[in-house]
């Protein structure tokens, strides 16, 4: 479960998100994908992350575009909370990318991000700034920083990840399963509502365009996101060189 794993694993969330997606429970699926992005945001992306990269690649390039083309999109694109969830999902991926030598939200990802956010009308985007999002509460017994987690703890958590994913699916498939709410679907996993807030430098750099602009210009937004990737990458590289010299 999320508490036992201290929200350090992606696969239980993507596993359940895929199940909910196939049930056409798209908002619940996005909550799971957002949880997965929240978990990965505690790490720094590197080339060894190819498998988990594929998980998010499928969500961004296949699943979210499918949602936006489905009949449910008419309702979802009028929901400020859903828009806040979409931005939070991408924002956490940008945090995963932050400080990495290799950008995640490069031109191809930026194109899909823009294609999704431009589906939301102005009034919905503006209301999203005052929305709240559901976030997993991390157990107070967990180490506060990933760097402080011992190899023994990490090994134990890794061994529990697959069992956790299957258990969560069993819960939601049971006759007593309920829709996502502030109550935990798995006993130890608890959610709390927190004010919507962008944390990554990349999305903060375009926040006014995403939240305030009367009309989103897809070409301008995509170009700015790509330019921010290059700028942040250069700044990171220079910082590494400066540190090496010192």
């Amino acid at each position: 479960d999320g508490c036992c794993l201290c929200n350090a694993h992606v696969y239980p969330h993507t596993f359940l998100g895929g199940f909910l997606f196939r049930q056409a429970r798209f908002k619940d699926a996005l909550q799971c994908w957002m949880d997965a992005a929240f978990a990965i945001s505690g790490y720094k992306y590197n080339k060894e992350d190819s498998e988990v990269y594929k998980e998010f690649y499928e969500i961004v390039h296949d699943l979210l575009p499918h949602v936006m083309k489905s009949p449910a999109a008419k309702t979802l694109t009028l929901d400020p909370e859903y828009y806040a969830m979409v931005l939070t999902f991408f924002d956490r991926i940008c945090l995963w990318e932050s400080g990495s030598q290799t950008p995640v939200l490069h031109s191809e990802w930026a194109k899909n991000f823009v294609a999704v956010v431009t589906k939301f009308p102005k009034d919905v985007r503006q209301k999203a700034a005052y929305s709240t999002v559901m976030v997993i509460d991390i157990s107070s017994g967990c180490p506060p920083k990933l760097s402080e987690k011992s190899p023994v703890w990490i090994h134990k958590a890794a061994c529990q990840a697959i069992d956790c994913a299957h258990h969560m699916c069993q819960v939601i498939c049971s006759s007593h399963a309920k829709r996502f709410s502030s109550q935990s679907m798995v006993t130890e996993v608890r959610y709390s509502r927190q004010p919507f807030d962008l944390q990554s430098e990349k999305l903060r750099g375009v926040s006014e365009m995403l939240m305030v602009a009367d009309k989103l210009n897809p070409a301008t937004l995509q170009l700015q996101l790509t330019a921010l990737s290059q700028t942040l990458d250069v700044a990171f590289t220079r910082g590494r060189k400066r540190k090496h010299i010192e």
Side-chain angles (χ1 to χ4, degrees):
D1 52 72
C3 179
C4 181
L5 297 175
C6 295
N7 206 35
H9 279 273
V10 168
Y11 294 118
H13 302 299
T14 56
F15 189 95
L16 181 55
F19 172 82
L20 292 167
F21 171 83
R22 292 188 292 276
Q23 298 296 313
R25 295 172 60 176
F26 298 132
K27 190 169 184 178
D28 292 342
L30 180 57
Q31 177 68 58
C32 289
W33 298 335
M34 195 175 75
D35 293 340
F38 179 78
I40 203 64
S41 68
Y43 299 87
K44 298 301 178 188
Y45 175 68
N46 62 64
K47 293 181 179 180
E48 295 180 359
D49 293 337
S50 59
E51 292 303 316
V52 72
Y53 178 91
K54 290 176 184 177
E55 293 285 321
F56 288 109
Y57 185 94
E58 180 184 22
I59 294 168
V60 172
H61 296 267
D62 297 327
L63 305 186
L64 270 178
H66 176 85
V67 173
M68 290 296 103
K69 294 176 183 177
S70 72
K74 293 181 180 179
T75 302
L76 294 173
T77 54
L78 296 178
D79 183 353
E81 183 184 12
Y82 190 80
Y83 183 64
M85 291 168 68
V86 168
L87 293 185
T88 301
F89 167 73
F90 280 99
D91 183 58
R92 298 309 187 264
I93 291 179
C94 288
L95 287 178
W96 179 37
E97 170 192 77
S98 179
S100 169
Q101 290 180 294
T102 307
V104 176
L105 202 69
H106 50 68
S107 58
E108 188 179 358
W109 286 63
K111 181 179 179 180
N112 283 275
F113 170 71
V114 171
V116 172
V117 299
T118 51
K119 299 289 186 182
F120 294 83
K122 177 186 68 173
D123 60 326
V124 173
R125 290 188 286 106
Q126 292 176 343
K127 289 177 183 177
Y130 307 99
S131 297
T132 57
V133 292
M134 298 291 287
V135 177
I136 290 179
D137 284 336
I138 305 300
S139 169
S140 59
C142 293
K145 296 179 181 179
L146 291 170
S147 60
E148 296 177 14
K149 294 177 181 177
S150 68
V152 174
W153 183 92
I154 293 173
H155 175 71
K156 181 180 178 181
C159 291
Q160 294 168 332
I162 299 301
D163 288 340
C164 167
H166 285 288
H167 177 59
M168 289 192 339
C169 255
Q170 288 171 3
V171 171
I172 197 169
C173 288
S174 72
S175 59
H176 300 291
K178 297 180 180 180
R179 188 182 183 280
F180 268 91
S181 68
S182 58
Q183 297 296 322
S184 167
M185 287 173 47
V186 182
T187 306
E188 288 87 355
V189 181
R190 299 184 184 279
Y191 286 86
S192 64
R193 283 203 169 272
Q194 296 185 10
F196 167 65
D197 179 39
L198 295 176
Q199 298 182 15
S200 68
E201 289 185 56
K202 179 173 285 187
L203 288 199
R204 281 183 174 181
V206 293
S207 60
E208 186 172 345
M209 190 181 301
L210 291 170
M211 311 297 294
V212 182
D214 289 339
K215 186 175 182 181
L216 284 175
N217 186 314
T220 302
L221 181 56
Q222 186 176 337
L223 184 63
Q224 193 162 344
L225 282 170
T226 306
L228 279 168
S229 288
Q230 295 171 347
T231 302
L232 294 173
D233 185 48
V234 169
F236 173 72
T237 303
R238 287 177 178 173
R240 282 175 58 91
K241 289 181 178 179
R242 189 179 300 111
K243 185 176 180 180
H244 178 71
I245 291 172
E246 293 173 353

